[in-house]
Amino acid sequence: MTDIAPHLADVLTAHPSVAAAQVTADPDGTGGHALLVADPRTAPVLHRSATLEAAGRLGPLGWHEPAGALRVAGLNRSETEFLHREIFTDNAYFRHGIALPPAAVVVDVGANIGMFTLRCALHSPGARIIAVEPVTELADAVALNAELYDVGATVLRTALGRADGETDFTFYPGNSVMSGRFADPREDLDVLRGYLLTGQETPDEGGLDRLMTDRMTARTRRVPVTTLTSVAHTHRLDRVDLLKIDVEKAEADVLDGIDDTLWPRIDRVVLEVHDLDGRLAAVLGLLRSRGYLTTTDQDPRLTRTPCHNVYARRPGLPAGTASVTLPDRGPTLRSLTGELRELAAARLPSAPPPDRWTLVTELTELTELTGRTESTDLTGGHRASSGARPDTAGSPRVAVLAGIWADIFGPDAVRPDADFFDLGGDSLTAVRLMTRLEDALGEDALTPDLIFTDSTFGALADAVEASGAPEPTALP
């Protein structure tokens, strides 16, 4: 493939979304590494994401492409998929007549990575959005995603409550959607267990406990607190078309921070309520006393949890729907690489297509990057492992992983670029995989969290092989 690599690069560059390309063959002549410069006119999101990463803006975040539909910065693949499904696919916040007028004013409290902020901007062009998120990494993701899609969002790095001040905040890096001021690891583990087990057969309890404990490792931080009234005053919000609140058991405190002058200016409220100690009834009573029509529902996957959604709107507001069509911002990396594979197969059928793809900003970067052992994988994950190395691909430990992987997903899925989530894997599938792998190779065979970060077979194979390496011997 060494001689044919320049010709393959020429073929890739023929795609309208590729401004330049270079291909480096693997030493064994299979697969290879393709480096792509996205065309800024036909693939603006890919081009801009590469530019942001080259500028050092990505940090600990990664690029994810949930459902292959849009490219966003996030903490881990599984959470990004969850948020996309909840907000875009299930339309969880735009139900029961909740919709937005053109150029809406939205306050997104508990913005996480900004998926709801993007959803509002796409539904209401010209929207003004105040995104409130106290976790630094998540607030950085909101800012990146807003910039990526030209969204007019102001990011406030604070918590909201009933008074100004500071508070301890529990952050779960492996499960950030459950982070909050009033996080309780025991309660939160019960909620996570209920979510995972809804509609599922009971898996291996030990494996499930290890997975949940790994995902719920907590960090405590000190964060500022302000009130929604202060936010409205500081940013001169004459009206709020939609107030969305998802703050994991702190919703009552956020509502207490709204004074009598602000309530009449808020037209719609959508919030998640944890029904602990009668909180759901209390929130409904408060909203009705302020003149709202209210409705509640519960996601079928959350029936074993205390989580409910509340929808409130002023009488006389038109009930609407909030269907959204994603604008054409060019391909995602996943769709682009699929098209490039087809293009290569049609024009150079004798050349195996690359199995690793990296976005770069200009050709001068290519020489440095060809030696990297990490790259962007087919799903758009940031710095995912480039796949099982030739010297480990046939090792006994990787063979064990390959056999288990084939039993779960089928033999055709045993390839470096095959992604756990694209193949239909979820948290309970991860438990099955880990349990069988640990039975064969020991409890340290694979770190549970790795499945949710570097989710390709190649990355997991590298990790399984590395976990069996002997500890270095200390020299006297």
Side-chain angles (χ1 to χ4, degrees):
M1 182 173 168
T2 302
D3 293 333
I4 209 167
H7 301 291
L8 184 55
D10 290 339
V11 169
L12 301 182
T13 308
H15 192 286
S17 292
V18 178
Q22 178 175 305
V23 178
T24 303
D26 281 337
D28 62 356
T30 62
H33 189 177
L35 304 168
L36 307 174
V37 179
D39 190 294
R41 298 163 300 174
T42 56
V45 167
L46 290 182
H47 182 271
R48 192 170 297 170
S49 68
T51 302
L52 290 169
E53 182 173 356
R57 296 278 303 280
L58 200 55
L61 303 170
W63 296 117
H64 305 131
E65 296 181 352
L70 74 169
R71 186 173 178 83
V72 293
L75 275 180
N76 62 69
R77 172 76 183 274
S78 60
E79 278 197 291
T80 306
E81 295 278 355
F82 167 81
L83 290 167
H84 178 267
R85 181 175 64 248
E86 177 187 51
I87 293 169
F88 279 88
T89 304
D90 296 345
N91 214 25
Y93 293 102
F94 291 103
R95 297 178 180 174
H96 306 291
I98 299 294
L100 291 176
V105 176
V106 178
V107 180
D108 181 2
V109 184
N112 200 271
I113 65 171
M115 196 74 77
F116 182 75
T117 290
L118 291 181
R119 176 70 173 79
C120 291
L122 294 174
H123 171 56
S124 177
R128 181 188 178 193
I129 304 171
I130 307 294
V132 184
E133 176 52 58
V135 177
T136 298
E137 296 90 334
L138 299 176
D140 288 344
V142 180
L144 278 172
N145 291 328
E147 188 171 343
L148 196 62
Y149 287 92
D150 291 320
V151 170
T154 299
V155 182
L156 305 184
R157 299 165 185 264
T158 181
L160 292 189
R162 56 171 54 98
D164 292 340
E166 289 187 344
T167 187
D168 288 334
F169 192 96
T170 300
F171 172 43
Y172 299 116
N175 196 32
S176 68
V177 295
M178 297 186 72
S179 304
R181 294 175 61 189
F182 303 114
D184 180 303
R186 181 184 57 80
E187 288 181 357
D188 297 340
L189 278 170
D190 287 343
V191 171
L192 181 59
R193 176 183 290 274
Y195 172 76
L196 293 178
L197 293 180
T198 299
Q200 303 285 342
E201 296 181 4
T202 303
D204 172 76
E205 290 292 329
L208 181 61
D209 287 343
R210 285 195 300 277
L211 174 69
M212 292 194 305
T213 300
D214 190 73
R215 304 294 288 164
M216 298 297 287
T217 301
R219 299 177 187 173
T220 301
R221 297 179 177 177
R222 195 73 178 166
V223 302
V225 182
T226 189
T227 67
L228 192 57
T229 298
S230 295
V231 169
H233 176 74
T234 300
H235 295 274
R236 295 187 173 92
L237 302 183
D238 295 329
R239 74 179 197 282
V240 176
D241 294 297
L242 176 61
L243 168 62
K244 169 259 184 183
I245 303 172
D246 186 354
V247 289
E248 301 303 309
K249 296 181 281 191
E251 52 272 6
D253 284 55
V254 175
L255 295 174
D256 284 346
I258 304 174
D259 69 10
D260 291 340
T261 66
L262 180 57
W263 272 116
R265 290 181 273 157
I266 301 174
D267 284 345
R268 303 164 186 85
V269 182
V270 178
L271 71 159
E272 182 186 73
V273 176
H274 289 246
D275 190 16
L276 304 171
D277 301 320
R279 188 174 303 162
L280 179 60
V283 168
L284 290 172
L286 170 65
L287 292 170
R288 289 165 183 163
S289 73
R290 292 291 180 175
Y292 293 93
L293 304 173
T294 62
T295 309
T296 67
D297 69 19
Q298 187 176 39
D299 187 321
R301 290 165 295 194
L302 297 176
T303 53
R304 293 191 183 193
T305 78
C307 302
H308 299 258
N309 283 341
V310 173
Y311 306 82
R313 60 188 178 89
R314 296 289 181 190
L317 288 178
T321 59
S323 60
V324 62
T325 301
L326 293 176
D328 183 11
R329 303 293 179 96
T332 61
L333 185 58
R334 188 193 306 184
S335 63
L336 176 60
T337 53
E339 293 171 8
L340 292 176
R341 283 174 172 272
E342 293 178 1
L343 185 63
R347 298 195 182 182
L348 282 175
S350 62
D355 54 24
R356 286 155 291 161
W357 310 80
T358 299
L359 289 173
V360 295
T361 56
E362 55 185 344
L363 291 174
T364 56
E365 297 181 28
L366 300 184
T367 302
E368 299 175 8
L369 287 168
T370 49
R372 281 192 348 191
T373 58
E374 293 183 328
S375 67
T376 301
D377 70 11
L378 296 179
T379 68
H382 170 58
R383 295 177 182 167
S385 172
S386 60
R389 299 180 300 272
D391 59 330
T392 67
S395 76
R397 293 178 67 82
V398 173
V400 171
L401 173 64
I404 298 170
W405 190 275
D407 284 347
I408 295 174
F409 299 119
D412 292 342
V414 183
R415 61 183 193 277
D417 65 313
D419 185 270
F420 178 83
F421 295 101
D422 288 344
L423 294 170
D426 56 20
S427 294
L428 295 185
T429 312
V431 172
R432 292 172 53 204
L433 175 67
M434 284 193 313
T435 300
R436 293 184 57 184
L437 194 62
E438 290 172 355
D439 287 345
L441 300 177
E443 287 195 4
D444 295 329
L446 185 66
T447 302
D449 192 56
L450 191 65
I451 297 174
F452 298 92
T453 53
D454 291 344
S455 53
T456 61
F457 176 80
L460 300 180
D462 282 350
V464 167
E465 183 65 18
S467 70
E471 292 292 331
T473 302
L475 296 175

